[in-house]
Amino acid sequence: MTEPIIASESITPLSIGSLPALPTQSATYYAQGQWRHGTFVDDLHALARTAADQPAYINVRTLLGGSVTVTFGELARHVEQFAAVLRTRGVRPGDVVAWQLPNWWESGALWLACVRVGAVALSLPPGTGAREREIMMTGTRARLFIASDHDATDGCADASVLRLGELLLDADLAVPLSVAERPAVHADSVCQVLCTSGTTGRAKAVLHTHNTRYAALRAALPHLPQNAVTAAASTLTHAIGLIFNLLSPLATGRPSVFTDTHDTAVWLDLLARHRVNCLLAAPRTLGELVDAQRAKPRDLGELRQVTSVAAPLPEPVAARVRRFLCPRLVRFYGMTEAGTVMATSPQDASASAGRGLGRPVRGTRLRLTETDDPGAGLLHVRGPGLCRAMFDLRTSRELWSPAHDEGWYDTGDLVATDAEGGLRYLSRAADRIGWGYVIPVAEVESELLDHPGIAEAVIVGVPDAQGHEVACAVVVPRGTPLTLDGIRSFLRARSMTEFYLPVRLALVPELPRTALGKVRKEQVRRQIGSDTGGGRPCTTPPESRR
């Protein structure tokens, strides 16, 4: 993602007093109901009064065996007990509380307990190594780190450490905070820090408030089936898992279902057993679920909608999802910084989810800035779900805030209008390849994925012998021998524009990916450029040499 850097002095991370002013549109957000004065803990306690025995979370725990159902009443009790433990451990409003846990309901309860005491949640993905953990913990000045009972705790900087088992034991004995002990929590204060490097490798912290998280959820809900049991194939530490597994039940009163494994067989069994109505997953995960469903079909008759999130959705994958998982397919376009920005319409999802980004969700505005490429625009967004600020984890330098450019955020994505009045994704701005005209990277990649001998493929720009940037297809083969001429012939047979065709081919055993499954294209470029891609080097056809 393009990261605009604002010239400014280093700021103290997460110090409310040093954060930029609220966006000028904040009064409008309040007036339109996109922001509010309450918090998600208020929602939880309202449900604990009216639907105490109804399930909030259904958590399949493969690491322990079996599953756990947590009702709204039980969740409210655990949140108050966890909050009391945090308070006893010295956590005060504005302090950062970090944890690294399996994808268990306790992570959700901890997030809400942070809301109760006015702390800022920093939930690290399972598998985060000591190096990255130290960068996050140091950069956010975390006060407390909560780990599972058996995981390492090195790289925690100056934070004190609490094991999950200790937390649960202390919580059983804890006395919930009295009304007088509960700090006043403002809905515009920071409640969440999400650490991300996107595909650029730059470690940055994204700061969200109670209101930006509320706005993100509120904007997405109309695009999900009503009264749905949802399951997001994402960790609770990621923005998608946070919004749709942790927070969605507090707004709908309907449960979410999630598990602590990426095993597709477990996920399919979960969807069938718990009669899930709406599945949210990244395209790569959807493709894996399709393969597993074809190998061993489950009864997914209750599944009313599949929603693709987190990455461009190739049309071949979309077609297989409609055929083998659910005919109703919706695509969300969003980002850690802003939540869901655009969505395809459920009414025409079967026709457009694989090609377009759809239209802006409620409250979000879009702006396209001209590029040198005819028909392509650089997408900027503004809306109530956009983060409060962003800073560099290593330097504390502010990278973006709503005070910049009247609140418009540069997504770093190149898009074009489509025939249906929506927008069509072309590529990342960083993926721009060629001179004078942009190669629609996403479209070329989508066509390549329909090749029977290709398991995975991306297009990146690499320099040729003269230093000009050319398109290289980086491919994980499926077993069939592949050649550059064969791939170019395959694309020509699908009527692809000639100058879109890759002029180099690199065969690799796997593609480097983020925790959510996005390809780290900058890493791919470096590997291919240095001939260290782990496979055969790039080859160039004779006709492209000069």
Side-chain angles (χ1 to χ4, degrees):
M1 176 167 289
T2 302
E3 297 174 355
I5 300 178
I6 305 168
S8 66
E9 298 297 324
S10 293
I11 63 171
T12 301
L14 305 178
S15 172
I16 301 301
S18 67
L19 285 177
L22 288 170
T24 56
Q25 301 82 18
S26 58
T28 300
Y29 298 155
Y30 272 108
Q32 294 177 345
Q34 294 157 339
W35 283 6
R36 59 178 180 172
H37 296 287
T39 71
F40 287 105
V41 169
D42 298 323
D43 298 330
L44 172 59
H45 280 280
L47 286 164
R49 290 191 297 269
T50 61
D53 296 330
Q54 295 300 308
Y57 303 146
I58 300 172
N59 185 194
V60 177
R61 300 155 79 100
T62 63
L63 298 178
L64 297 178
S67 63
V68 177
T69 297
V70 182
T71 67
F72 288 109
E74 292 169 337
L75 181 60
R77 176 172 57 83
H78 288 303
V79 167
E80 295 302 326
Q81 290 174 323
F82 284 6
V85 175
L86 295 180
R87 181 84 172 182
T88 301
R89 294 278 175 163
V91 175
R92 297 295 181 266
D95 287 343
V96 176
V97 176
W99 61 87
Q100 186 174 343
L101 298 172
N103 213 43
W104 293 348
W105 67 266
E106 289 91 342
S107 184
L110 266 174
W111 197 93
L112 293 164
C114 287
V115 174
R116 170 57 87 197
V117 300
V120 179
L122 169 61
S123 47
L124 280 60
T128 299
R131 177 183 177 275
E132 286 70 33
R133 184 161 54 240
E134 185 172 9
I135 293 172
M136 297 178 195
M137 299 283 289
T138 301
T140 60
R141 302 183 183 180
R143 181 183 182 90
L144 177 66
F145 178 69
I146 302 167
S148 65
D149 293 337
H150 305 292
D151 287 342
T153 58
D154 48 336
C156 293
D158 297 325
S160 59
V161 175
L162 178 64
R163 293 288 185 178
L164 178 60
E166 296 177 85
L167 171 66
L168 295 175
L169 287 174
D170 290 350
D172 284 340
L173 302 174
V175 177
L177 300 177
S178 66
V179 174
E181 292 176 304
R182 298 172 187 170
V185 178
H186 198 284
D188 290 321
S189 61
V190 175
C191 69
Q192 175 88 43
V193 54
L194 293 169
C195 298
T196 177
S197 60
T199 55
T200 64
R202 185 176 201 164
K204 61 185 179 182
V206 177
L207 309 185
H208 277 288
T209 68
H210 304 274
N211 267 330
T212 62
R213 297 288 75 186
Y214 172 71
L217 173 61
R218 186 176 182 272
L221 286 179
H223 302 276
L224 302 180
Q226 290 187 345
N227 300 317
V229 175
T230 59
S234 170
T235 64
L236 297 176
T237 61
H238 190 273
I240 294 168
L242 172 72
I243 292 292
F244 298 107
N245 283 339
L246 195 162
L247 300 180
S248 177
L250 306 180
T252 65
R254 298 287 287 164
S256 63
V257 187
F258 50 92
T259 184
D260 55 11
T261 180
H262 297 291
D263 189 315
T264 52
V266 174
W267 270 100
L268 287 172
D269 291 342
L270 174 154
L271 297 176
R273 182 180 305 115
H274 298 288
R275 305 168 69 86
V276 170
N277 307 126
C278 181
L279 167 68
L280 300 100
R284 186 186 187 196
T285 300
L286 291 175
E288 293 170 350
L289 288 170
V290 166
D291 291 341
Q293 175 70 355
R294 294 177 68 182
K296 180 184 176 182
R298 278 78 163 178
D299 181 2
L300 302 181
E302 295 297 323
L303 190 59
R304 289 188 265 145
Q305 179 174 308
V306 170
T307 304
S308 176
V309 295
L313 177 65
E315 181 56 41
V317 177
R320 291 193 287 269
V321 168
R322 295 188 196 104
R323 180 179 177 186
F324 294 104
L325 295 183
C326 179
R328 182 182 173 98
L329 175 62
V330 171
R331 178 177 180 184
F332 280 0
Y333 166 84
M335 59 202 70
T336 300
E337 297 85 344
T340 303
V341 173
M342 285 184 279
T344 58
S345 169
Q347 284 70 39
D348 62 5
S350 62
S352 65
R355 297 195 305 271
L357 301 177
R359 299 176 182 274
V361 297
R362 182 170 52 193
T364 297
R365 295 184 61 191
L366 309 180
R367 183 180 74 181
L368 300 184
T369 58
E370 293 183 358
T371 69
D372 295 333
D373 305 295
L378 186 59
L379 179 64
H380 294 70
V381 302
R382 187 173 73 184
L386 201 55
C387 64
R388 178 73 186 278
M390 189 187 314
F391 68 87
D392 189 300
L393 277 168
R394 291 189 177 275
T395 66
S396 298
R397 181 177 293 276
E398 183 182 291
L399 299 174
W400 183 86
S401 82
H404 174 64
D405 195 19
E406 299 180 335
W408 289 101
Y409 180 70
D410 178 0
T411 68
D413 285 337
L414 290 171
V415 299
T417 56
D418 62 23
E420 298 170 350
L423 292 177
R424 180 168 52 93
Y425 178 85
L426 296 178
S427 67
R428 305 288 299 154
D431 291 345
R432 176 175 168 167
I433 301 172
W435 298 86
Y437 292 92
V438 64
I439 294 175
V441 171
E443 294 186 11
V444 180
E445 291 172 347
S446 178
E447 294 296 333
L448 286 175
L449 288 176
D450 236 7
H451 190 293
I454 293 178
E456 296 181 279
V458 295
I459 300 292
V460 298
V462 297
D464 63 10
Q466 290 75 40
H468 298 299
E469 190 177 55
V470 295
C472 177
V474 185
V475 169
V476 178
R478 198 185 292 275
T480 305
L482 294 169
T483 66
L484 181 61
D485 287 341
I487 286 178
R488 288 168 63 87
S489 297
F490 174 81
L491 294 175
R492 285 194 189 99
R494 301 171 80 87
S495 303
M496 178 153 283
T497 303
E498 185 70 18
F499 74 83
Y500 290 179
L501 306 186
V503 297
R504 287 190 174 186
L505 168 66
L507 304 180
V508 298
E510 62 181 3
L511 296 173
R513 293 180 179 272
T514 67
L516 192 64
K518 295 182 181 179
V519 176
R520 295 185 181 273
K521 286 199 172 181
E522 191 57 38
Q523 185 174 337
V524 173
R525 291 187 191 94
R526 290 196 302 268
Q527 290 175 338
I528 298 303
S530 60
D531 280 345
T532 59
R536 291 162 52 186
C538 289
T539 57
T540 307
E543 66 269 20
S544 69
R545 298 191 182 110
R546 297 288 185 268

